[in-house]
Amino acid sequence: MNDTLDPDPGSPCLAAIVELKWLLSGHGVGLHVERLQGDADYARRVLDLAAALPHSALRVAARRVRGCLHLDPPAAQR
């Protein structure tokens, strides 16, 4: 299902997304900020990938963004 997300562009969520973008870039993973904010399927895929990488700050950032976007964590993290 391709849900649409609608975070407030002025919220702290945007700062968390930008932090995630930079942390992911250090692992060679590109992140499209607007798509992450507007496409729940894309957001879940990116956040699942970030949660699986061996970098604690990246996993924390992914959890923060997942909360901002009101997306459920993967079953393994519940």
Side-chain angles (χ1 to χ4, degrees):
M1 176 175 207
N2 192 6
D3 300 326
T4 311
L5 306 172
D6 190 21
D8 176 6
S11 76
C13 193
L14 184 58
I17 291 170
V18 171
E19 177 186 19
L20 179 67
K21 176 184 175 79
W22 287 110
L23 289 168
L24 281 170
S25 72
H27 290 272
V29 178
L31 174 89
H32 190 277
V33 172
E34 292 83 7
R35 185 171 177 200
L36 184 86
Q37 292 176 301
D39 181 341
D41 290 335
Y42 173 76
R44 284 185 188 97
R45 285 192 306 273
V46 169
L47 294 170
D48 290 349
L49 171 67
L53 290 171
H55 187 254
S56 62
L58 180 54
R59 291 191 305 270
V60 168
R63 281 194 302 272
R64 187 177 308 120
V65 170
R66 192 178 295 275
C68 284
L69 298 178
H70 309 289
L71 296 172
D72 292 329
Q77 293 181 0
R78 290 185 198 153

